[in-house]
Amino acid sequence: MTARLVPSMSAAVALTASAALLPALAVLGELRPTWVALAAYAALCAAVGGRSRASAAVLIGPAAWLFHNGFVEHRHGALDLAAPAAEAAHVLLLTAAALAAALLTAPPGPRPGRRYDLAA
């Protein structure tokens, strides 16, 4: 059984990975608001969410959104909420990607009817 990342470490990994994704998007010419950049950040959230606890999804999605909004959509690190509904949808998409991956890769819990040695 592999250990899951705690929420604070998941947020740190998401911030670091989001920053590392920017040069790759720049090489591909995708530092502009396209579906490719948003899909890349959603895949990043899913990858980090797959190694994290489900409760960390509320930190992973917004961490990735900060870099997507600041450097992909509006360049030079300037956050902008000109279209709040669209930005809320982006945050929701990124958070949902992290949550879905965390839930799909979660280890199964205790089975009913089985005895477990809690002292071990």
Side-chain angles (χ1 to χ4, degrees):
M1 181 171 112
T2 60
R4 315 284 280 171
L5 294 175
V6 296
S8 58
M9 183 57 74
S10 298
V13 169
L15 286 169
T16 304
S18 295
L21 182 59
L22 287 172
L25 289 173
V27 167
L28 295 174
E30 293 296 331
L31 279 183
R32 57 182 193 249
T34 62
W35 67 269
V36 175
L38 187 60
Y41 274 100
L44 179 137
C45 287
V48 175
R51 299 288 304 175
S52 304
R53 297 177 185 173
S55 61
V58 297
L59 297 174
I60 296 169
W65 174 82
L66 287 172
F67 280 89
H68 181 264
N69 186 293
F71 293 101
V72 175
E73 289 185 12
H74 303 292
R75 300 286 182 114
H76 310 295
L79 295 176
D80 188 14
L81 295 174
E87 297 307 327
H90 290 165
V91 173
L92 184 62
L93 172 77
L94 297 172
T95 304
L99 181 62
L103 292 176
L104 289 174
T105 60
R111 295 185 188 138
R114 288 190 63 190
R115 289 187 175 170
Y116 291 93
D117 184 15
L118 299 178

